[in-house]
Amino acid sequence: MKHLIDPTDLSKEEIDQIVALAEDIIAHRKRYQGSMAHKKLATLFYEPSTRTRLSFTAAMMELGGQVLGFSNPQASSVSKGETVQDTVRVVGCFADIIAMRHPIEGAPLVASQVSNVPIINAGDGSHSHPTQTLTDLLSIKRELGHIDDITIGFCGDLRFGRTVHSLIKALSRYNGIKVVLIAPHELRLPDYIKEDVCDKMGVTYRETESLDEAIPELDVLYMTRVQKERFLDEEEFERVKDSFVLDARRMALAKEKMVVLHPLPRVNEILTEVDDDPRAAYFRQVENGKFVRMALIVSLMDWRKDPAHAMPEPDEPIIDPTLHCTNSKCICNTESHQPQFRLAENGIMRCWYCESKVR
Ligand code: NCD
């Protein structure tokens, strides 16, 4: 059975297939209206969300299916101390497919290990957000006509921004991708993405602290919000919160056809004066999110019993009681899952669940 926990769970062909299906759904909406009749999607949201949860709901409704779930874990048995795995075993008795968002990294992964229905990771901590990635890829495709051969700038919180981590992973499979990382020192991209993804896959990247300097060469500018809720240190947050702001003056430095994306919500990093610029694609991107989630639900339901769409073969986990994951927001430190590790690029040991470096 296919789950979507990390963008790399999908092959490039599968990603292209989902993007193409989303485009077909946009062109022939009526054709897909009853395709999930009598099927149920459960949305288990342990963390706030507007777009992601509602777009999953709208997607399933448009396919003729039904939706159940919770958006406030305090109102469910989670507040009684139920583990993620138990919750998923129970919900799998009621629903045909599950979308889960969780503040703890690795939670959807452990859910997928026991689930009898497909699990979709709708965002886990600072780690991964693969359905936003599909949304972003569809948006790039629709705005520019292609995904290969682009220069994309990621601006803002590249450290805690899970949408950035996932999109870079997915783009690393395309040809001719150049990445410009635009962030203050405190919010730089984690090493595991630079080493295990960019270096390994041969993605050209450079880092800069100046949006003015980077913007003229970009085909896509991916703006992000500073992730206040993931900062451990309030003072550090105050120092960087207004780091990079996109305004009309900066847009004047950009290419005529540059596309501005943002997973939203924005706080102040894009001034509203940019919204009417035809290059501002972030509200069109929201709508793409619904279509791509329709395509994803249809695909995962189709692929359930198809061995050609199995999960990729995982590396052999390393179990060593002398090693510890130091990420307090990792599932192996919040629930009793045996810590497991894998050997990544350059002999670095990484946590199986959250991919942080193990010391
Ligand atoms: C993002 C998320 O939740 O990671 N939003 C989204 O899913 N559309 C980005 C964010 O919260 O800043």
Side-chain angles (χ1 to χ4, degrees), residues 40 42 44 46 68-70 76-78 82-98 100 111 114-117 119:
K40 294 185 218 75
L44 309 185
Y46 295 75
L68 65 165
F70 56 78
S76 76
S77 281
V78 173
E82 185 168 62
T83 62
V84 166
Q85 289 196 332
D86 279 2
T87 302
V88 155
R89 279 196 179 100
V90 169
V91 175
C93 301
F94 310 134
D96 303 284
I97 183 162
I98 296 175
M100 174 188 287
V114 297
S115 180
N116 60 348
V117 301
I119 300 284

mmCIF file of all heavy atoms in Angstrom, residues 40 42 44 46 68-70 76-78 82-98 100 111 114-117 119:
data_model
loop_
_atom_site.group_PDB
_atom_site.id
_atom_site.type_symbol
_atom_site.label_atom_id
_atom_site.label_comp_id
_atom_site.label_asym_id
_atom_site.label_seq_id
_atom_site.Cartn_x
_atom_site.Cartn_y
_atom_site.Cartn_z
ATOM 1 N N LYS A 40 -14.705 7.395 2.626
ATOM 2 C CA LYS A 40 -14.545 8.403 3.687
ATOM 3 C C LYS A 40 -13.073 8.754 3.896
ATOM 4 O O LYS A 40 -12.214 7.878 3.942
ATOM 5 C CB LYS A 40 -15.124 7.876 4.999
ATOM 6 C CG LYS A 40 -16.624 7.671 4.962
ATOM 7 C CD LYS A 40 -17.121 7.270 6.346
ATOM 8 C CE LYS A 40 -18.217 6.244 6.287
ATOM 9 N NZ LYS A 40 -17.791 4.873 5.972
ATOM 10 N N ALA A 42 -10.594 10.588 6.648
ATOM 11 C CA ALA A 42 -10.499 11.121 8.013
ATOM 12 C C ALA A 42 -9.391 12.159 8.047
ATOM 13 O O ALA A 42 -8.277 11.898 7.583
ATOM 14 C CB ALA A 42 -10.209 10.005 9.011
ATOM 15 N N LEU A 44 -7.159 14.015 10.620
ATOM 16 C CA LEU A 44 -6.737 14.036 12.026
ATOM 17 C C LEU A 44 -5.729 15.168 12.170
ATOM 18 O O LEU A 44 -4.567 15.021 11.796
ATOM 19 C CB LEU A 44 -6.106 12.700 12.417
ATOM 20 C CG LEU A 44 -6.914 11.438 12.082
ATOM 21 C CD1 LEU A 44 -6.219 10.195 12.637
ATOM 22 C CD2 LEU A 44 -8.335 11.530 12.618
ATOM 23 N N TYR A 46 -3.774 17.518 14.572
ATOM 24 C CA TYR A 46 -3.296 17.750 15.939
ATOM 25 C C TYR A 46 -2.675 19.141 16.064
ATOM 26 O O TYR A 46 -2.066 19.455 17.079
ATOM 27 C CB TYR A 46 -2.220 16.715 16.302
ATOM 28 C CG TYR A 46 -2.682 15.277 16.365
ATOM 29 C CD1 TYR A 46 -2.938 14.555 15.206
ATOM 30 C CD2 TYR A 46 -2.824 14.630 17.589
ATOM 31 C CE1 TYR A 46 -3.330 13.229 15.270
ATOM 32 C CE2 TYR A 46 -3.206 13.298 17.662
ATOM 33 C CZ TYR A 46 -3.462 12.608 16.500
ATOM 34 O OH TYR A 46 -3.849 11.292 16.560
ATOM 35 N N LEU A 68 -14.643 12.835 7.885
ATOM 36 C CA LEU A 68 -14.819 12.862 9.332
ATOM 37 C C LEU A 68 -13.464 13.179 9.958
ATOM 38 O O LEU A 68 -12.458 13.237 9.252
ATOM 39 C CB LEU A 68 -15.373 11.531 9.844
ATOM 40 C CG LEU A 68 -14.533 10.258 9.727
ATOM 41 C CD1 LEU A 68 -15.114 9.182 10.612
ATOM 42 C CD2 LEU A 68 -14.463 9.750 8.295
ATOM 43 N N GLY A 69 -13.448 13.389 11.274
ATOM 44 C CA GLY A 69 -12.150 13.649 11.891
ATOM 45 C C GLY A 69 -12.217 14.708 12.963
ATOM 46 O O GLY A 69 -13.289 15.039 13.453
ATOM 47 N N PHE A 70 -11.031 15.228 13.355
ATOM 48 C CA PHE A 70 -10.995 16.293 14.354
ATOM 49 C C PHE A 70 -9.953 17.331 13.964
ATOM 50 O O PHE A 70 -8.985 17.032 13.279
ATOM 51 C CB PHE A 70 -10.723 15.745 15.764
ATOM 52 C CG PHE A 70 -9.458 14.917 15.894
ATOM 53 C CD1 PHE A 70 -8.210 15.529 15.978
ATOM 54 C CD2 PHE A 70 -9.514 13.526 15.969
ATOM 55 C CE1 PHE A 70 -7.044 14.775 16.125
ATOM 56 C CE2 PHE A 70 -8.360 12.763 16.105
ATOM 57 C CZ PHE A 70 -7.122 13.389 16.188
ATOM 58 N N SER A 76 -10.591 14.903 21.495
ATOM 59 C CA SER A 76 -10.562 13.478 21.152
ATOM 60 C C SER A 76 -9.842 12.704 22.255
ATOM 61 O O SER A 76 -9.377 13.283 23.235
ATOM 62 C CB SER A 76 -9.821 13.288 19.831
ATOM 63 O OG SER A 76 -8.429 13.418 20.059
ATOM 64 N N SER A 77 -9.708 11.396 22.064
ATOM 65 C CA SER A 77 -9.049 10.561 23.084
ATOM 66 C C SER A 77 -7.558 10.852 23.211
ATOM 67 O O SER A 77 -6.911 10.361 24.131
ATOM 68 C CB SER A 77 -9.217 9.084 22.752
ATOM 69 O OG SER A 77 -10.484 8.670 23.120
ATOM 70 N N VAL A 78 -7.035 11.648 22.281
ATOM 71 C CA VAL A 78 -5.630 12.048 22.372
ATOM 72 C C VAL A 78 -5.396 12.712 23.722
ATOM 73 O O VAL A 78 -4.366 12.514 24.365
ATOM 74 C CB VAL A 78 -5.304 13.036 21.227
ATOM 75 C CG1 VAL A 78 -3.917 13.604 21.376
ATOM 76 C CG2 VAL A 78 -5.488 12.351 19.884
ATOM 77 N N GLU A 82 -3.905 8.737 24.392
ATOM 78 C CA GLU A 82 -3.839 7.685 23.379
ATOM 79 C C GLU A 82 -2.670 7.934 22.424
ATOM 80 O O GLU A 82 -2.412 9.070 22.032
ATOM 81 C CB GLU A 82 -5.148 7.644 22.584
ATOM 82 C CG GLU A 82 -5.195 6.476 21.592
ATOM 83 C CD GLU A 82 -6.582 6.238 21.016
ATOM 84 O OE1 GLU A 82 -7.118 7.138 20.354
ATOM 85 O OE2 GLU A 82 -7.133 5.140 21.231
ATOM 86 N N THR A 83 -1.979 6.865 22.044
ATOM 87 C CA THR A 83 -0.844 7.029 21.135
ATOM 88 C C THR A 83 -1.365 7.239 19.710
ATOM 89 O O THR A 83 -2.498 6.879 19.377
ATOM 90 C CB THR A 83 0.050 5.772 21.117
ATOM 91 O OG1 THR A 83 -0.731 4.681 20.637
ATOM 92 C CG2 THR A 83 0.624 5.464 22.493
ATOM 93 N N VAL A 84 -0.464 7.772 18.872
ATOM 94 C CA VAL A 84 -0.799 7.987 17.461
ATOM 95 C C VAL A 84 -1.159 6.663 16.801
ATOM 96 O O VAL A 84 -2.131 6.565 16.034
ATOM 97 C CB VAL A 84 0.408 8.643 16.749
ATOM 98 C CG1 VAL A 84 0.258 8.587 15.249
ATOM 99 C CG2 VAL A 84 0.578 10.076 17.213
ATOM 100 N N GLN A 85 -0.397 5.623 17.123
ATOM 101 C CA GLN A 85 -0.651 4.333 16.468
ATOM 102 C C GLN A 85 -2.019 3.773 16.853
ATOM 103 O O GLN A 85 -2.728 3.246 15.993
ATOM 104 C CB GLN A 85 0.465 3.340 16.800
ATOM 105 C CG GLN A 85 1.780 3.714 16.106
ATOM 106 C CD GLN A 85 2.786 2.589 16.081
ATOM 107 O OE1 GLN A 85 2.768 1.731 16.963
ATOM 108 N NE2 GLN A 85 3.668 2.591 15.103
ATOM 109 N N ASP A 86 -2.387 3.906 18.120
ATOM 110 C CA ASP A 86 -3.708 3.396 18.525
ATOM 111 C C ASP A 86 -4.821 4.199 17.855
ATOM 112 O O ASP A 86 -5.809 3.630 17.386
ATOM 113 C CB ASP A 86 -3.872 3.455 20.052
ATOM 114 C CG ASP A 86 -3.201 2.272 20.742
ATOM 115 O OD1 ASP A 86 -2.580 1.443 20.032
ATOM 116 O OD2 ASP A 86 -3.290 2.173 21.983
ATOM 117 N N THR A 87 -4.651 5.522 17.822
ATOM 118 C CA THR A 87 -5.689 6.364 17.194
ATOM 119 C C THR A 87 -5.890 5.946 15.738
ATOM 120 O O THR A 87 -7.016 5.802 15.263
ATOM 121 C CB THR A 87 -5.295 7.860 17.284
ATOM 122 O OG1 THR A 87 -5.112 8.205 18.662
ATOM 123 C CG2 THR A 87 -6.357 8.758 16.677
ATOM 124 N N VAL A 88 -4.776 5.716 15.047
ATOM 125 C CA VAL A 88 -4.864 5.382 13.626
ATOM 126 C C VAL A 88 -5.488 3.996 13.414
ATOM 127 O O VAL A 88 -6.267 3.791 12.479
ATOM 128 C CB VAL A 88 -3.456 5.496 13.000
ATOM 129 C CG1 VAL A 88 -3.315 4.629 11.783
ATOM 130 C CG2 VAL A 88 -3.201 6.939 12.644
ATOM 131 N N ARG A 89 -5.171 3.060 14.302
ATOM 132 C CA ARG A 89 -5.792 1.728 14.191
ATOM 133 C C ARG A 89 -7.308 1.842 14.322
ATOM 134 O O ARG A 89 -8.059 1.156 13.630
ATOM 135 C CB ARG A 89 -5.266 0.807 15.298
ATOM 136 C CG ARG A 89 -3.930 0.191 14.988
ATOM 137 C CD ARG A 89 -3.722 -0.990 15.950
ATOM 138 N NE ARG A 89 -2.471 -1.654 15.707
ATOM 139 C CZ ARG A 89 -1.368 -1.459 16.424
ATOM 140 N NH1 ARG A 89 -1.370 -0.623 17.440
ATOM 141 N NH2 ARG A 89 -0.259 -2.112 16.136
ATOM 142 N N VAL A 90 -7.736 2.715 15.236
ATOM 143 C CA VAL A 90 -9.170 2.891 15.462
ATOM 144 C C VAL A 90 -9.818 3.592 14.257
ATOM 145 O O VAL A 90 -10.818 3.132 13.717
ATOM 146 C CB VAL A 90 -9.393 3.708 16.768
ATOM 147 C CG1 VAL A 90 -10.840 4.142 16.895
ATOM 148 C CG2 VAL A 90 -8.949 2.891 17.963
ATOM 149 N N VAL A 91 -9.202 4.691 13.832
ATOM 150 C CA VAL A 91 -9.796 5.473 12.738
ATOM 151 C C VAL A 91 -9.826 4.659 11.442
ATOM 152 O O VAL A 91 -10.743 4.792 10.633
ATOM 153 C CB VAL A 91 -9.041 6.819 12.564
ATOM 154 C CG1 VAL A 91 -9.557 7.579 11.355
ATOM 155 C CG2 VAL A 91 -9.188 7.668 13.823
ATOM 156 N N GLY A 92 -8.851 3.770 11.262
ATOM 157 C CA GLY A 92 -8.824 2.903 10.082
ATOM 158 C C GLY A 92 -10.041 1.978 10.001
ATOM 159 O O GLY A 92 -10.332 1.423 8.938
ATOM 160 N N CYS A 93 -10.740 1.794 11.135
ATOM 161 C CA CYS A 93 -11.973 0.987 11.110
ATOM 162 C C CYS A 93 -13.136 1.787 10.522
ATOM 163 O O CYS A 93 -14.155 1.218 10.140
ATOM 164 C CB CYS A 93 -12.373 0.544 12.515
ATOM 165 S SG CYS A 93 -11.124 -0.424 13.345
ATOM 166 N N PHE A 94 -12.989 3.119 10.485
ATOM 167 C CA PHE A 94 -14.105 3.962 10.040
ATOM 168 C C PHE A 94 -13.851 4.619 8.684
ATOM 169 O O PHE A 94 -14.787 4.999 7.999
ATOM 170 C CB PHE A 94 -14.363 5.106 11.047
ATOM 171 C CG PHE A 94 -14.484 4.662 12.476
ATOM 172 C CD1 PHE A 94 -13.815 5.341 13.486
ATOM 173 C CD2 PHE A 94 -15.271 3.569 12.816
ATOM 174 C CE1 PHE A 94 -13.930 4.944 14.810
ATOM 175 C CE2 PHE A 94 -15.390 3.170 14.130
ATOM 176 C CZ PHE A 94 -14.720 3.845 15.137
ATOM 177 N N ALA A 95 -12.570 4.832 8.358
ATOM 178 C CA ALA A 95 -12.261 5.654 7.176
ATOM 179 C C ALA A 95 -11.459 4.848 6.161
ATOM 180 O O ALA A 95 -10.799 3.869 6.511
ATOM 181 C CB ALA A 95 -11.470 6.888 7.603
ATOM 182 N N ASP A 96 -11.502 5.269 4.893
ATOM 183 C CA ASP A 96 -10.784 4.571 3.816
ATOM 184 C C ASP A 96 -9.408 5.170 3.569
ATOM 185 O O ASP A 96 -8.565 4.566 2.895
ATOM 186 C CB ASP A 96 -11.602 4.658 2.520
ATOM 187 C CG ASP A 96 -12.986 4.078 2.717
ATOM 188 O OD1 ASP A 96 -13.090 2.845 2.745
ATOM 189 O OD2 ASP A 96 -13.950 4.849 2.904
ATOM 190 N N ILE A 97 -9.193 6.376 4.064
ATOM 191 C CA ILE A 97 -7.916 7.066 3.849
ATOM 192 C C ILE A 97 -7.815 8.151 4.929
ATOM 193 O O ILE A 97 -8.839 8.670 5.381
ATOM 194 C CB ILE A 97 -7.853 7.626 2.396
ATOM 195 C CG1 ILE A 97 -6.511 8.284 2.102
ATOM 196 C CG2 ILE A 97 -9.007 8.565 2.066
ATOM 197 C CD1 ILE A 97 -6.236 8.445 0.595
ATOM 198 N N ILE A 98 -6.581 8.420 5.380
ATOM 199 C CA ILE A 98 -6.394 9.339 6.522
ATOM 200 C C ILE A 98 -5.375 10.422 6.158
ATOM 201 O O ILE A 98 -4.299 10.111 5.656
ATOM 202 C CB ILE A 98 -5.884 8.568 7.767
ATOM 203 C CG1 ILE A 98 -6.927 7.552 8.234
ATOM 204 C CG2 ILE A 98 -5.503 9.525 8.903
ATOM 205 C CD1 ILE A 98 -6.469 6.645 9.383
ATOM 206 N N MET A 100 -3.162 13.271 8.125
ATOM 207 C CA MET A 100 -2.768 13.604 9.497
ATOM 208 C C MET A 100 -1.779 14.758 9.533
ATOM 209 O O MET A 100 -0.780 14.745 8.827
ATOM 210 C CB MET A 100 -2.117 12.389 10.160
ATOM 211 C CG MET A 100 -1.550 12.717 11.548
ATOM 212 S SD MET A 100 -0.595 11.360 12.231
ATOM 213 C CE MET A 100 -1.912 10.257 12.639
ATOM 214 N N ALA A 111 2.410 6.240 12.292
ATOM 215 C CA ALA A 111 1.013 5.908 11.965
ATOM 216 C C ALA A 111 0.978 4.944 10.779
ATOM 217 O O ALA A 111 0.245 3.948 10.785
ATOM 218 C CB ALA A 111 0.231 7.176 11.640
ATOM 219 N N VAL A 114 1.345 1.005 11.147
ATOM 220 C CA VAL A 114 0.289 0.104 11.630
ATOM 221 C C VAL A 114 -1.026 0.268 10.877
ATOM 222 O O VAL A 114 -1.984 -0.456 11.143
ATOM 223 C CB VAL A 114 0.008 0.323 13.142
ATOM 224 C CG1 VAL A 114 1.232 -0.018 13.982
ATOM 225 C CG2 VAL A 114 -0.458 1.742 13.418
ATOM 226 N N SER A 115 -1.074 1.212 9.949
ATOM 227 C CA SER A 115 -2.368 1.547 9.355
ATOM 228 C C SER A 115 -2.777 0.555 8.267
ATOM 229 O O SER A 115 -1.952 0.123 7.465
ATOM 230 C CB SER A 115 -2.303 2.951 8.753
ATOM 231 O OG SER A 115 -3.541 3.274 8.177
ATOM 232 N N ASN A 116 -4.071 0.240 8.229
ATOM 233 C CA ASN A 116 -4.573 -0.610 7.147
ATOM 234 C C ASN A 116 -5.193 0.205 6.020
ATOM 235 O O ASN A 116 -5.758 -0.345 5.091
ATOM 236 C CB ASN A 116 -5.585 -1.639 7.695
ATOM 237 C CG ASN A 116 -6.774 -0.954 8.349
ATOM 238 O OD1 ASN A 116 -6.743 0.258 8.586
ATOM 239 N ND2 ASN A 116 -7.819 -1.705 8.635
ATOM 240 N N VAL A 117 -5.094 1.545 6.133
ATOM 241 C CA VAL A 117 -5.538 2.420 5.041
ATOM 242 C C VAL A 117 -4.423 3.425 4.748
ATOM 243 O O VAL A 117 -3.567 3.658 5.604
ATOM 244 C CB VAL A 117 -6.859 3.171 5.408
ATOM 245 C CG1 VAL A 117 -7.989 2.201 5.713
ATOM 246 C CG2 VAL A 117 -6.641 4.135 6.564
ATOM 247 N N ILE A 119 -2.078 6.521 4.593
ATOM 248 C CA ILE A 119 -1.864 7.710 5.443
ATOM 249 C C ILE A 119 -1.213 8.793 4.595
ATOM 250 O O ILE A 119 -0.244 8.538 3.879
ATOM 251 C CB ILE A 119 -0.891 7.394 6.603
ATOM 252 C CG1 ILE A 119 -1.425 6.282 7.504
ATOM 253 C CG2 ILE A 119 -0.576 8.649 7.423
ATOM 254 C CD1 ILE A 119 -2.517 6.694 8.444
#
